[in-house]
Amino acid sequence: MRTRRAVVVSALTAMSMLVVGACGATAEKKGTSKSDGPVTGLRIMVPNTPGGGYDTTARTAAKVMEDAKIASGIQVFNLPGAGGTVGLQRTVNEKGNGKLAMQMGLGVVGAAYTSKSKATLSQTTPLAKMVEEAGAVVVPKDSPYKTIGDLVTAWKSDPKNVAVGGGSSLGGPDHLLPMQLAKAVGIEPKKVNYIGYDGGGELLPAILGNKIAFGVSGFGEFLDQIEAGQVRVLAVTSEKPIEALKDAPTLKSAGIDMVFTNWRGIVAPPGISDADTKVWVDSLTAMHGSKEWEAELTKHGWTDAFMTGDAFATFLTDQDKAVADILAELGLA
């Protein structure tokens, strides 16, 4: 059976999400259906650097809504910093701006605690939970570690000198994953030498440049580099093998009793009107039901985890409490 912590983290990460951010857009809504015409004036904020999971999800969602003629002229922009909490603060400051939404996920939940952010997710307007994504443990192509067993052996012998990098700050999914993995293989989590990067766009150069011994993040962040032979996947953190990575073992099949899943979603500023909330939710629901989105789920290996409204709000509240409990146990909150 999984450890209590594995169960909590797996539940924690049972989701992968999109958050759309926008600032000061003034174009008016034309409608939410094809008969009314595409919605206009929407902006999506990505609270970390280009190239990471949030960025990929937001830009994919925007493209699908454009291609399916659900919305037109969607602007996606990046506002990185402090594990996503710079973007969170901007979102909260944009009170009443119904054209703005922020791409977010588990990483922002944790960063709000570890960064001691004044802005909180409870202040935002929940819109939709979008996707879930398993994690991957990867090394550069010339790494001496050929299997997850090789890595674990070296890691256990000298945890402080086997650096692990992730695309999130303390409290984010890429931080929680190696902490949980360490505990699962018998390493004291506080001894882990974790180096956080602001999204996958910064993590990949660190892996390719051998600045860290191994990296962890959502497996979708590495697909291009895996296909190009630049990085190797030692294991994935899903319950079952991943279709896109047929040769990669799960941690469980390698004898490590752990499952970990990340999630992403979308929130809007506080105080937006019911009408603006409906535009976002209707647009995202239409996107979710499109053949274009279905194709993107397959392409990126994302698991559909769509929910909106009160169900998503409840999920965020539960996630917030679970993350706070785990970070308190690690002495980080």
Side-chain angles (χ1 to χ4, degrees):
M1 291 182 64
R2 286 184 219 161
T3 63
R4 174 181 177 275
R5 185 172 195 139
V7 172
V8 172
V9 172
S10 181
L12 253 188
T13 54
M15 214 185 144
S16 168
M17 282 186 64
L18 239 191
V19 174
V20 192
C23 312
T26 58
E28 293 185 340
K29 170 181 101 69
K30 291 184 178 179
T32 60
S33 68
K34 288 185 178 180
S35 61
D36 294 330
V39 175
T40 60
L42 302 182
R43 303 180 74 211
I44 302 175
M45 181 197 302
V46 177
N48 56 19
T49 55
Y54 288 168
D55 190 66
T56 300
T57 307
R59 293 182 189 280
T60 299
K63 183 177 184 302
V64 168
M65 285 194 278
E66 296 262 3
D67 291 348
K69 302 190 184 322
I70 296 164
S72 65
I74 301 175
Q75 180 188 0
V76 180
F77 67 99
N78 299 78
L79 186 65
T85 57
V86 170
L88 176 60
Q89 184 66 65
R90 171 73 169 269
T91 301
V92 170
N93 290 348
E94 291 281 340
K95 182 178 181 179
N97 183 356
K99 299 297 183 181
L100 170 66
M102 183 182 78
Q103 166 72 56
M104 54 78 69
L106 179 61
V108 178
V109 177
Y113 283 99
T114 57
S115 297
K116 307 203 181 310
S117 171
K118 292 182 180 179
T120 67
L121 283 167
S122 64
Q123 295 172 281
T124 66
T125 302
L127 296 175
K129 170 189 175 185
M130 302 302 296
V131 295
E132 297 173 352
E133 183 182 36
V137 179
V138 304
V139 294
K141 63 181 180 180
D142 56 352
S143 169
Y145 311 123
K146 305 302 181 186
T147 68
I148 188 68
D150 293 341
L151 172 62
V152 168
T153 298
W155 198 20
K156 290 176 72 172
S157 67
D158 193 4
K160 289 191 177 295
N161 285 321
V162 179
V164 51
S168 62
S169 59
L170 298 182
D174 294 357
H175 171 245
L176 294 173
L177 194 165
M179 296 302 112
Q180 176 60 27
L181 179 58
K183 187 166 184 178
V185 300
I187 298 171
E188 169 56 47
K190 289 185 178 180
K191 292 183 179 180
V192 174
N193 179 10
Y194 176 78
I195 301 173
Y197 296 87
D198 199 356
E202 291 188 3
L203 172 62
L204 277 168
I207 296 170
L208 298 175
N210 291 292
K211 294 180 180 179
I212 52 179
F214 68 104
V216 296
S217 196
F219 76 88
E221 309 239 5
F222 307 117
L223 283 177
D224 289 345
Q225 287 71 30
I226 294 166
E227 292 174 359
Q230 295 176 313
V231 301
R232 292 186 286 109
V233 182
L234 299 186
V236 291
T237 67
S238 51
E239 183 81 37
K240 298 179 180 180
I242 293 171
E243 182 68 20
L245 300 172
K246 293 181 180 179
D247 296 331
T250 64
L251 289 173
K252 292 185 74 173
S253 70
I256 301 171
D257 191 14
M258 174 184 156
V259 173
F260 187 98
T261 312
N262 189 19
W263 58 266
R264 298 188 193 110
I266 300 174
V267 297
I272 68 172
S273 68
D274 290 345
D276 283 334
T277 300
K278 187 175 188 303
V279 169
W280 274 112
V281 172
D282 285 355
S283 298
L284 292 167
T285 300
M287 181 202 73
H288 172 254
S290 70
K291 63 180 190 240
E292 291 90 348
W293 182 248
E294 184 178 355
E296 292 294 344
L297 291 175
T298 300
K299 175 183 175 181
H300 294 284
W302 294 334
T303 300
D304 185 15
F306 193 75
M307 66 167 62
T308 62
D310 292 343
F312 180 44
T314 298
F315 175 84
L316 282 180
T317 299
D318 292 344
Q319 290 284 286
D320 187 77
K321 183 181 186 306
V323 169
D325 290 347
I326 287 177
L327 292 178
E329 189 177 340
L330 289 170
L332 296 172

